[in-house]
Amino acid sequence: MRPRSRSCSESLTAFLVLLRRSGPEWDRSRALEDQSGFAAHASFLDALVEAGFLVLGGPLADERRVVYAVEAESEEAVRTTLARDPWNETHLRVEAVDRWTLRLDGRRGPAR
């Protein structure tokens, strides 16, 4: 994985941000973990985290949208990877993929 920027004056690292929305099979009366196919979806996401592709992710306050911050070469790479998600187009849909330029990142120690 590439080193991340530490301050505004240092080199930039670009990420792609993915915003997802509940799909037609999402049952609003059920908790996340009780949705059909949750185990397969969770396993898929865990593998993306292990691979370093998915950096951050989680639902927004409205609980209908989810944001993923991913490290990828292009929007096409993001869409191709996420198309393999067992929940793609059933429980979740890609709403937007935008390039996000990070200038600050406090998750790592001081740059060396």
Side-chain angles (χ1 to χ4, degrees), residues 15-35:
F15 279 72
L16 295 169
V17 177
L18 171 74
L19 179 65
R20 302 196 81 175
R21 187 177 188 110
S22 300
E25 292 184 31
W26 182 266
D27 183 346
R28 292 183 193 178
S29 69
R30 300 172 83 180
L32 173 71
E33 296 80 5
D34 295 331
Q35 298 290 326

Side-chain angles (χ1 to χ4, degrees), residues 1 5 8 12 16-17 19 23 29 32-33 35 54-55 64 74 79-80 82 84 87 89-90 97:
M1 200 180 246
S5 298
C8 266
L12 307 177
L16 295 169
V17 177
L19 179 65
S29 69
L32 173 71
E33 296 80 5
Q35 298 290 326
L54 180 56
V55 179
R64 295 183 62 201
S74 66
R79 290 183 183 278
T80 298
L82 293 173
R84 297 190 316 259
W87 274 11
E89 294 298 323
T90 59
V97 177

Side-chain angles (χ1 to χ4, degrees), residues 3-4 6-7 31 33-34 46 50 57 67 87 94 102:
R4 291 192 170 71
R6 293 293 306 145
S7 72
E33 296 80 5
D34 295 331
D46 288 344
E50 270 301 305
V67 174
W87 274 11
V94 174
L102 295 177

